[in-house]
């Protein structure tokens, strides 16, 4: 459970950094690129992964899929915030919880006890209540939040499969994924530098490095949580998403002075109850 809490803290911190960067008109592609530079450095010096261990029979299809999806989905996340607003984007990202939960039942054949079913039902209601906010943006560009919804749901499932691959240390797998993501991001940056005459900016490097530190922690602790709860992936799926919503709402209320309606507060309270039920489901 400690790994899950640490992953939630890192995830919320990444969101806070993204919100702060909006004031400085950043280049999201450059931020994402330097994010993976920092993540690779941290991964290498923290775990000293042995790339020689990665053989042809490793799950390269999963590595490549996650490595490509991560930077692309982050780009759609930025675009969704720009065109549809933070509220609808957050809703799309957190409601992607439905995809891995369904996968836990259909693909991983996980048994659901009554505590978990009740917890998930309350959690879904809580998410809807928390995300029930008004937005002044009425643009109908639903492709962006739709990709965010599908992308994060699929990434959750793929990371679960990486965590279950026991023939290779998951830290080495993480290094490979970061490397692929960095390669994709660098290609996009080079394209922008050459075709759009853009320039590398120090502010993007700084924000990217900060995001990379907490992005590394988020994914690392998320994988560790899946290792700890290998028989109950929905516990991590639900706990991560609901926990981020609750903590993110509190951070928004206390530090960014965002206004929450009565139904939002009810949603936060219901989310806490849902987490209690999910924890009880793990104990039983």
């Amino acid at each position: 459970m400690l790994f899950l809490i640490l992953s939630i803290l890192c995830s919320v911190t990444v969101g806070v950094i993204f919100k702060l960067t909006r004031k400085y008109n950043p280049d999201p592609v450059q931020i994402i690129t330097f994010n993976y530079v920092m993540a690779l450095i941290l991964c290498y010096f923290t775990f000293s992964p042995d790339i020689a261990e990665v053989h042809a029979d490793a799950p390269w299809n999963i590595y490549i899929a996650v490595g490509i999806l991560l930077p692309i989905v982050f780009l759609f996340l930025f675009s969704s915030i720009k065109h549809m607003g933070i509220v609808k984007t957050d809703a799309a990202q957190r409601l992607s919880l439905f995809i891995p939960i369904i996968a836990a039942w259909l693909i991983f054949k996980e048994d659901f006890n009554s505590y978990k079913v009740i917890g998930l039902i309350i959690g879904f209601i809580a998410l809807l209540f928390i995300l029930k906010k008004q937005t002044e943006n009425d643009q109908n560009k639903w492709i962006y939040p739709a990709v965010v919804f599908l992308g994060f749901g699929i990434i959750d499932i793929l990371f679960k499969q990486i965590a279950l691959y026991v023939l290779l240390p998951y830290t080495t797998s993480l290094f490979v994924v970061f490397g692929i993501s960095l390669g994709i991001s660098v290609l996009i940056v080079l394209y922008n530098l050459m075709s759009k005459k853009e320039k590398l900016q120090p502010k993007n490097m700084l924000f990217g490095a900060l995001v990379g530190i907490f992005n590394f922690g988020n994914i690392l602790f998320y994988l560790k949580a899946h290792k700890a709860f290998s028989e109950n992936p929905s516990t991590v799926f639900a706990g991560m998403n609901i926990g981020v919503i609750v903590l993110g709402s509190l951070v928004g209320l206390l530090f960014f002075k965002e206004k929450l309606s009565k139904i939002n507060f009810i949603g936060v309270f219901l989310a806490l109850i849902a987490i209690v039920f999910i924890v009880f489901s793990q104990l039983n």
Side-chain angles (χ1 to χ4, degrees):
M1 192 58 66
L2 174 62
F3 293 137
L4 184 58
I5 293 173
L6 291 174
S7 182
I8 292 171
L9 290 173
C10 289
S11 178
V12 172
T13 302
V14 169
V16 170
I17 295 172
F18 280 157
K19 288 184 179 181
L20 293 175
T21 60
R22 296 177 67 228
K23 300 178 180 179
Y24 302 95
N25 191 28
D27 184 328
V29 179
Q30 291 185 21
I31 291 178
I32 291 171
T33 300
F34 286 101
N35 146 70
Y36 289 118
V37 171
M38 179 58 69
L40 270 174
I41 293 173
L42 290 173
C43 189
Y44 180 80
F45 285 103
T46 303
F47 303 107
S48 300
D50 186 0
I51 303 302
E53 296 181 356
V54 184
H55 301 292
D57 57 348
W60 281 101
N61 57 333
I62 300 178
Y63 291 161
I64 294 173
V66 178
I68 293 175
L69 278 174
L70 279 173
I72 291 178
V73 172
F74 269 120
L75 285 176
F76 273 94
L77 184 69
F78 271 93
S79 297
S80 184
I81 291 174
K82 177 181 178 181
H83 294 289
M84 299 296 293
I86 292 178
V87 173
K88 292 180 180 178
T89 302
D90 283 346
Q93 181 180 356
R94 297 309 163 193
L95 290 177
S96 66
L97 166 71
F98 283 99
I99 296 176
I101 288 294
I102 294 174
W105 176 44
L106 297 178
I107 298 176
F108 304 121
K109 308 300 182 182
E110 178 183 343
D111 292 329
F112 279 27
N113 57 35
S114 58
Y115 285 107
K116 184 166 294 182
V117 172
I118 295 172
L120 292 176
I121 293 174
I122 296 176
F124 294 150
I125 296 174
L127 287 173
L128 294 176
F129 279 20
I130 293 172
L131 296 171
K132 188 176 178 58
K133 302 177 183 178
Q134 296 296 322
T135 176
E136 298 177 357
N137 193 322
D138 58 357
Q139 298 183 59
N140 195 27
K141 297 183 178 180
W142 285 101
I143 184 62
Y144 299 112
V147 172
V148 169
F149 172 81
L150 292 174
F152 276 106
I154 295 172
I155 287 171
D156 274 346
I157 295 173
L158 294 177
F159 267 129
K160 164 62 180 175
Q161 293 179 307
I162 290 177
L164 294 178
Y165 183 69
V166 296
L167 299 180
L168 194 68
Y170 65 87
T171 51
T172 301
S173 297
L174 187 62
F175 186 83
V176 174
V177 169
F178 283 156
I180 296 172
S181 296
L182 175 60
I184 298 298
S185 302
V186 167
L187 289 177
I188 300 175
V189 168
L190 290 176
Y191 172 79
N192 290 339
L193 293 177
M194 296 173 62
S195 64
K196 301 180 180 180
K197 307 301 180 182
E198 295 181 357
K199 296 181 180 180
L200 293 177
Q201 299 180 345
K203 63 181 180 181
N204 295 322
M205 298 180 188
L206 175 61
F207 289 135
L210 289 174
V211 170
I213 292 173
F214 292 100
N215 188 34
F216 171 77
N218 175 30
I219 296 177
L220 171 64
F221 292 126
Y222 186 68
L223 289 176
K224 282 182 174 290
H226 268 303
K227 283 281 188 178
F229 296 102
S230 60
E231 299 300 322
N232 292 277
S234 65
T235 299
V236 180
F237 292 147
M240 179 66 185
N241 285 274
I242 296 172
V244 168
I245 284 291
V246 172
L247 183 58
S249 297
L250 293 176
V251 169
L253 178 66
L254 298 177
F255 295 98
F256 291 96
K257 307 302 180 182
E258 295 180 0
K259 295 181 179 180
L260 294 180
S261 64
K262 291 182 179 180
I263 198 169
N264 296 150
F265 280 111
I266 294 175
V268 173
F269 179 71
L270 288 176
L272 293 174
I273 295 177
I275 293 174
V276 172
F277 272 98
I278 292 172
V279 171
F280 270 112
S281 75
Q282 184 63 34
L283 298 176
N284 288 272

